[in-house]
Amino acid sequence: MDIGISDANRKKIAAGLSGLLADSYTLYLMTHNFHWNVTGPQFNSLHNMFMAQYTEQWNALDIIAERIRALGFPAPGTYKEFVKLASIKEVEGVPKATDMIRHLVSAQEAAARTARNLFAIVNEANDQPTADVLTQRLDVHEKTAWMLRSLLEE
């Protein structure tokens, strides 16, 4: 395979993207779980917000996985792999609505950090398509974290 990125750099980028995919899938599942299980006075607004967020997250999974494939590597696709690769940990039980928001802020910020940490190797490799994916993901994660944090202010 010769797309102008060395084998070693493609491997590093694919490994980093695999971590981002794992974080993204974990965040997707957490958000969908909270959508199903949220209760309380903010039920309607949070239920709808979480649906919009998990739908966006679901669509992002394919973009990240297909970039890994375009770099010539298999995309991880099992819970076992995602648990091993993700920096985001699963939430036990069913938290209260405010705690759901706090968990989601932390998870959105973690996904942003994972994406941001890839830029050094991506820039070194002159890999603009991956940089574009990372920029788009950073924009979404940082904006979503800000919106969720806003719900916690009094």
Side-chain angles (χ1 to χ4, degrees), residues 82-146:
F82 289 152
V83 167
K84 185 173 75 171
L85 294 169
S87 70
I88 300 168
K89 301 305 173 208
E90 292 181 323
V91 175
E92 298 284 330
V94 179
K96 299 286 186 194
T98 302
D99 289 329
M100 288 178 176
I101 295 166
R102 286 188 181 95
H103 285 296
L104 289 172
V105 167
S106 294
Q108 291 284 349
E109 290 174 348
R113 287 190 303 273
T114 298
R116 191 175 308 285
N117 287 337
L118 276 169
F119 268 107
I121 185 64
V122 167
N123 289 334
E124 177 188 320
N126 201 26
D127 181 1
Q128 292 88 357
T130 300
D132 184 50
V133 169
L134 296 175
T135 300
Q136 290 177 38
R137 298 315 310 147
L138 276 168
D139 184 50
V140 169
H141 293 304
E142 290 176 357
K143 184 175 180 180
T144 304
W146 156 63

Side-chain angles (χ1 to χ4, degrees), residues 3-146:
I3 60 171
I5 302 172
S6 72
D7 292 346
N9 282 344
R10 284 187 302 101
K11 186 174 185 176
K12 288 179 196 172
I13 294 166
L17 286 171
S18 293
L20 181 60
L21 182 62
D23 275 355
S24 298
Y25 197 92
T26 305
L27 176 57
Y28 158 78
L29 191 58
M30 180 189 298
T31 309
H32 210 150
N33 175 29
F34 291 170
H35 164 79
W36 288 328
N37 291 300
V38 68
T39 59
Q42 293 180 297
F43 168 79
N44 196 51
S45 61
L46 291 178
H47 184 75
N48 290 328
M49 177 187 281
F50 295 163
M51 182 169 63
Q53 290 173 4
Y54 78 69
T55 300
E56 190 285 329
Q57 213 42 56
W58 178 257
N59 292 324
L61 296 173
D62 217 38
I63 293 166
I64 299 165
E66 288 179 357
R67 185 65 197 146
I68 295 168
R69 295 298 298 136
L71 291 168
F73 294 90
T78 65
Y79 290 118
K80 184 177 182 178
E81 289 174 297
F82 289 152
V83 167
K84 185 173 75 171
L85 294 169
S87 70
I88 300 168
K89 301 305 173 208
E90 292 181 323
V91 175
E92 298 284 330
V94 179
K96 299 286 186 194
T98 302
D99 289 329
M100 288 178 176
I101 295 166
R102 286 188 181 95
H103 285 296
L104 289 172
V105 167
S106 294
Q108 291 284 349
E109 290 174 348
R113 287 190 303 273
T114 298
R116 191 175 308 285
N117 287 337
L118 276 169
F119 268 107
I121 185 64
V122 167
N123 289 334
E124 177 188 320
N126 201 26
D127 181 1
Q128 292 88 357
T130 300
D132 184 50
V133 169
L134 296 175
T135 300
Q136 290 177 38
R137 298 315 310 147
L138 276 168
D139 184 50
V140 169
H141 293 304
E142 290 176 357
K143 184 175 180 180
T144 304
W146 156 63

